[in-house]
Amino acid sequence: MTLEGIVFSGISGWPVPRSAPEGNPWVPGRCWLWCRRENVSVLWIGPVRTPSVAGELYACGQCIAELVHLVREEQRRRSLPPERICEHRELERRAGGTFCAGCQRPIHL
């Protein structure tokens, strides 16, 4: 997956840090994705538009990696026959986490 203007590590799959020669332009700010942490290093990942406002979307490395993971999962899911697709209809709690009872994938709520 590519996000325009972001260089990813071929080893970790995470965005390359600023300190590397091909590093990304990280800035301090708020992650707009899942973690919503304040004052962390974030990258601009694109514009966002809603019916009433437009803005610039920034995310931390961890949330960008999760976004890439979700895109890859969706690509894999689309390649499966319909009878093999799990909709995660039943969840179960174990080991301090939430998992799909069908496919056993961890579910991040």
Side-chain angles (χ1 to χ4, degrees), residues 86-109:
C86 182
E87 298 293 334
H88 310 306
R89 295 183 188 270
E90 292 185 43
L91 302 179
E92 59 185 36
R93 301 271 306 158
R94 62 175 151 53
T98 303
F99 296 82
C100 174
C103 71
Q104 304 302 311
R105 183 179 188 277
I107 306 297
H108 304 284
L109 302 173

Side-chain angles (χ1 to χ4, degrees), residues 49-67:
R49 299 194 195 299
T50 69
S52 59
V53 69
E56 303 300 320
L57 185 60
Y58 287 85
C60 70
Q62 185 176 4
C63 287
I64 290 172
E66 180 64 16
L67 179 62

Side-chain angles (χ1 to χ4, degrees), residues 2-73:
T2 60
L3 290 169
E4 190 171 322
I6 297 179
V7 179
F8 287 90
S9 166
I11 297 169
S12 70
W14 280 52
V16 175
R18 179 186 295 272
S19 60
E22 70 280 6
N24 292 294
W26 296 91
V27 296
R30 178 181 184 209
C31 179
W32 284 37
L33 292 180
W34 297 281
C35 75
R36 297 185 184 180
R37 291 179 297 158
E38 299 275 351
N39 300 316
V40 295
S41 292
V42 293
L43 287 173
W44 179 82
I45 61 171
V48 61
R49 299 194 195 299
T50 69
S52 59
V53 69
E56 303 300 320
L57 185 60
Y58 287 85
C60 70
Q62 185 176 4
C63 287
I64 290 172
E66 180 64 16
L67 179 62
V68 170
H69 172 76
L70 289 172
V71 170
R72 286 188 180 135
E73 283 288 308

